[in-house]
Structure formats: C-alpha cells, structure tokens
Amino acid sequence: MDREKNIVEQVVEFFFVLAQLFYYCTVGSVRALLPGGVLPRKSVLDDVVLITGSGSGLGRMMAIKFAQLGAKIVLWDVNEKGNLETKKMVSKFTKDVHAYTIDLSHKDIAAVAQKVKNEVGHVDILINNAGIVTGKKLFDCPDELMEKTMAVNTNANFYTTKAFLPHMLENNHGHVIVIASMAGLSGVSGLVDYCASKFGAVGFAEALRSEVQTMGKNGVHVTTVCPYFIDTGMFDGVKTFSPTFLPILQPEYVIDQIMEAILTNSEKLYMPRFGYISAFAMNLLPVKAAHLLATYYGINKTMDEFKGRKPAKRAA
C-alpha cells in the first residue's frame, strides 16, 4: 500500500511540475514578445543606482533615464572627462549625482565601493555596464589586452557585486543588471577574447540569480542583457549581413528595452527579438548545423572591417 501511495504521489508531483513548466514557458514567451509599457513598472524613486561605464554610450543614457525617474545616481568610469560630462547632463534632472574615476581592471573596486557607501549610501540598483573590446583575432591579440578584457568584462562583476549585493540581500530589495552580449551566447570569429569574457558575464549572472533565488530573496532581482552590435562607436566598422533579422541596433531602442527590462524585473533581455530564436537554435542544433546557420547569416564576417573606438586614457 505504501509503495502504491508513493508512486501516486510521484505521478501527481510530476504532472504538477509539468503544469508549472508549461505556465512559466507561456508567461516567459509572452513577456518577451510584449511591447514596452504594457507590464507594470516598479518605482526607483530615491533608489541609489550605480552604473559602471557611465562616461559615454549606454551608461550615460541610462544615468539620464534613471535620474528622470527620481533615482540617486552614482557614475563609475575610467574616463574622468567623459564621466564629468555625464554628471553635468544628469545634474539637469537631479542634484544627487556623484562621479568616481575608477579603472575596473584594477583591484581598487572594493576601496571605491566603500567610498560610495560612506559618501552616498548603500546601492539599490547595480548596473554592470562597462565593457571593452579588442576586435583582434586570437594570435594578433597581445596577452595584456586579453587579460584586461577578462578583467573589465567578467571579473569586475564579481567585485562590484560582492561589494553591494549584501545590503540588497539584507533588505530583500535590490537589482543587479549585467550588460553582456549576444557574443556571450554564441562564438564569433574575431571576438575570441570578447566572447570568452561575455560568456563569463552571462554565466556569472545566471549563477548569481540561482544563488539569490535559493536564498528565497524574492525582492532582489538579477537581469542579464544580451544585445547584438550597437551603434555606439564601440564596434565601429562592424557590418551585418542580415539586417532584417540581425540589424545593428540603435542606442535609443536598446535603452528603452533595457529600462523596460529593469523596471519590470525581467530576468533576461535579448536584442533584437530574433536573438531568442538564435540562442535557442544554437543550443539545440548540432555544432555543424549551428555553424552553417552562422555562416548563412554572415556572423563570422561581421568583424572583418572592425575599427572600434579609441580607448580613453585614465586621468592623472
């Protein structure tokens, strides 16, 4: 009798899990396809938002958006001049904006983080946005550049999160956002070091989310953002050979999508939407089949004429 009861319980549990699986797949698919502005958004009024790589591009645009929503802004960038320009722009919307010059490839993150806590307060929303790209093939890339790519794009996530996540967990309120890349989901010729670093960033975010969920901290969220190439200058010279499905993304569109994902506590954001199909296919298909599709869409030719943005010099 006990054995039969155990079998019945297992069958009931299996179908319960199956029903939940179907529910979450349906909800996730619908959320991914919904236009912006439909889902309810959370308030970030008076939240402290720290953005790395805030001296230009997406980081600057996010800082302005959050300031317009009433958040307190903390700016981190190696480019002091660019960061102060961002601060000036943000100060039009809030006086509660603070700029710090920091090289995320160095081990001074903990010290600067403590300075932020002392001068501004605990961080509620951490946006790991800073990133660099060499655009060189493996044997053309100097070792120090490969190491710096890993330090900024991957390792910095560990140190910033270790510095600011504990308070979020203590209060069961907070958000960690990792700006990764579609290159963190599929390898691309000419981006070996960059892909490795972004694969690391994606893995970091996925595992961090699992740890937070296991703790039962439902008020702390982790969002992974994986865009295709963005027209910010960082990937100047790249080309797309399938503009219908994989267009070079415009920064304004990307920012709108990122803000929507953060304010609705979405776990993942791929851009463009074809990225969801691409990621699914690359994980499902045999390696040779996936390579065939990548060749068909010209993905491995995108970096052939890469120029990139000149790296900013650290202020003395």
Side-chain angles (χ1 to χ4, degrees), residues 18 35 100 109 115 212 222 252 299-300 305:
L18 198 63
Y100 296 83
I109 293 176
K115 193 175 181 182
V212 171
V222 179
E252 294 78 13
I299 292 172
N300 288 315
E305 298 180 34

Side-chain angles (χ1 to χ4, degrees), residues 20 55 71 85 153 163 175 178 185 249 274 308:
Q20 286 183 304
E85 288 174 357
N153 295 0
H175 205 145
V178 176
L185 302 172
L249 301 171
F274 182 73

Side-chain angles (χ1 to χ4, degrees), residues 77-79 148 309-314:
D77 204 293
V78 67
N79 180 358
K148 187 170 184 178
R309 179 193 296 146
K310 291 183 179 180
K313 295 180 179 180
R314 187 174 186 177

Side-chain angles (χ1 to χ4, degrees), residues 122-124 163-173:
H122 291 285
V123 170
D124 301 293
F164 298 116
L165 182 60
H167 183 75
M168 299 183 197
L169 295 173
E170 184 180 334
N171 286 353
N172 196 24
H173 171 77

